[in-house]
Amino acid sequence: MVGLTMEELPLPALFEQARKIHQAATESGSDQDALRKGCEVLEKCDDMINKLGLFSRNETKDDISTTNLKYSLVPYYLGELIEKIAQDDRIQILKASQEKLKEFISFCEAMELVPKEELETSAQAGPNTFADRRARKIARFKRQRAAESKLLEIKERKERRGRSTRAAALSTPVDAGEEDVLDDDGEEEREAWLTTISLAICKAFDLLEMLKKEEEMLASVKDRQLKEGEQEFSQAVLDERTKKVENWHRDAAIRAQYTKPAEPITCATFAQDVLEGRAQVSQAHEHKHQPMIFGPASLVGGSLTSERERMAAQVFQPQHRLPTMSIEEAGLKEMEMMNKWQERNLKLMEEANSAWYKDNRKLGPSKEEDDEDDDAAVERARAFDDWKDDNPRGAGNTKLTPCG
């Protein structure tokens, strides 16, 4: 990944870089350039997540894979980094940070990750008393301490397993089948990310309350300064109105991403290439399945330059027949055949229910004509039976009888 720009980095590398910047800013504090760079990287991550469609409103936490679970922390990281940026207009920073924190909490609520206590508290319409706020803070602090203890326990357990694995590898050789068992820590990784998200939810609620109070204090100070009759009164009002309009346009652009989502990536192979950094999202309509090349040229990764290599590549071919289309193309073709079949059945049903079909059925013989035909058939059958009684079988063949 050395030498790659931010546009060329895959999503996992961008998220890891942003996570390190957030961790450094949280533990020891970072300069403003590092904070702005972290915000830029997180905004790029958020853009790639929306384009790839990693999350859906119809999913819950159980439906999200362990690999994609960590990307739900992007709005929370972005909200915390924005709050640390130093700017003259502090109120705008507070509003932007609150917007990202609310987005993170809304997403966690849709994924059923927010505790029931927080949901019940937010659903209460009455005023919050001091005792209610104190009880809520105590419960949130207990959940935060429990999440931190659990993360520390998972970290220590992972380190102990790593030390025991290294010691066992030095003492006795590990078979090929045992390596997968030792490295199978998917459940532990999922538990760690879910605990991290729970800890982030507690911190997000606390930070959101603090930012609201700070915004109210700054707004009251600003109103008092405006009432005192400063010379910059008109300019401040104009600036505030301009910023309101800019915020409205920015919110409209954010809402447009949900009302008019980007064209989804229907090719599973291309989506995996984008996640792993082998392709760009802008190449979605230009992606084509390249045929597999067998032979010496495929070993070195070069192109078939000489006639000798071309002939050798034609010799070393697989014994099975290669596919002529991808799974997506086959699915689209089957869907087209099904649509034609449904259209044909619908047309037949319309013809069966049409007027001319019912009229043709009405033009058939009536009941009286059917009764007359039945009577005539009975008379003919009776006459034929009488004739058979008068003329037994073989009565006219006198030459065939022994005494004839």
Side-chain angles (χ1 to χ4, degrees), residues 23 148-163 188 192:
Q23 185 177 2
E148 291 175 352
S149 301
K150 192 172 183 179
L151 284 176
L152 184 60
E153 179 184 354
I154 293 173
K155 182 179 179 181
E156 293 176 353
R157 189 167 63 238
K158 190 174 181 179
E159 291 177 354
R160 287 197 302 269
R161 188 173 62 252
R163 288 194 298 267
E188 189 178 66

Side-chain angles (χ1 to χ4, degrees), residues 209-272:
E209 292 179 359
M210 185 186 67
L211 294 180
K212 286 181 180 179
K213 292 181 180 179
E214 185 178 357
E215 183 182 2
E216 292 175 358
M217 293 173 61
L218 291 177
S220 62
V221 171
K222 189 174 183 179
D223 293 340
R224 187 175 68 251
Q225 290 177 353
L226 293 176
K227 290 179 181 179
E228 290 176 356
E230 291 187 356
Q231 297 180 356
E232 299 178 356
F233 173 79
S234 58
Q235 186 65 30
V237 172
L238 291 176
D239 292 343
E240 185 177 359
R241 291 178 180 177
T242 304
K243 290 173 183 177
K244 285 183 179 180
V245 173
E246 292 176 355
N247 292 334
W248 185 87
H249 285 289
R250 185 174 63 251
D251 295 340
I254 294 174
R255 289 193 300 269
Q257 295 179 358
Y258 298 96
T259 55
K260 296 181 179 179
E263 185 176 355
I265 299 175
T266 57
C267 180
T269 306
F270 177 62
Q272 188 68 24

Side-chain angles (χ1 to χ4, degrees), residues 108-124:
C108 293
E109 183 177 354
M111 296 297 149
E112 300 179 359
L113 292 170
V114 181
K116 294 182 180 180
E117 295 82 0
E118 297 290 351
L119 295 177
E120 293 175 357
T121 304
S122 60
Q124 293 178 358

